[in-house]
Amino acid sequence: NGPIFVDGSWYHRSKRCGRTDFGNGPRIPNARHLDMDDICLGPASTSGYPLNPKNLPHMMPTKELFAAAMDAMGISNTDHVVVYGREGCVFTPRTWFLFQQMGHASDSLSL
């Protein structure tokens, strides 16, 4: 199998939206989009997870939540994942870091 491309474009306090940009294209054929806010541990009052007691935004998800998101995207630990981002997006490396911290094999992960 070839690599799986993941658009990790996410903008903090911006009028741009990575999901909207991804939907409007252009994009790499068969690429997936990962919006960190979809899987982050938000405030405990909204996420239901007691792992964010200070109610800080954009916190790293649990490994179980990340695994469920990867299952939904059809990405396994044996896939080679290439994380990319759109011009002007400075947070793309955070998506790479998320994969790395969740245990994706380093030799199967590119930025």
Side-chain angles (χ1 to χ4, degrees):
N1 291 335
I4 295 178
F5 292 91
V6 175
D7 183 336
S9 300
W10 180 82
Y11 303 92
H12 186 253
R13 297 183 180 168
S14 174
K15 292 183 181 187
R16 289 185 72 181
C17 172
R19 181 182 292 113
T20 300
D21 287 352
F22 181 78
N24 291 340
R27 64 181 167 273
I28 297 172
N30 301 313
R32 283 90 159 162
H33 180 261
L34 178 62
D35 187 319
M36 287 186 293
D37 280 340
D38 287 346
I39 62 170
C40 74
L41 289 180
S45 60
T46 59
S47 68
Y49 286 95
L51 301 174
N52 188 1
K54 294 188 179 192
N55 292 328
L56 299 171
H58 322 297
M59 293 294 99
M60 186 105 45
T62 62
K63 287 192 177 206
E64 295 81 11
L65 187 56
F66 182 78
M70 294 304 100
D71 287 347
M73 294 172 73
I75 298 174
S76 74
N77 233 9
T78 60
D79 290 320
H80 186 93
V81 175
V82 178
V83 177
Y84 72 97
R86 300 200 175 257
E87 183 178 354
C89 182
V90 299
F91 289 100
T92 303
R94 186 171 174 188
T95 302
W96 175 89
F97 178 75
L98 179 61
F99 273 91
Q100 191 260 345
Q101 288 299 297
M102 292 294 144
H104 201 86
S106 294
D107 60 347
S108 294
L109 185 59
S110 302
L111 177 64

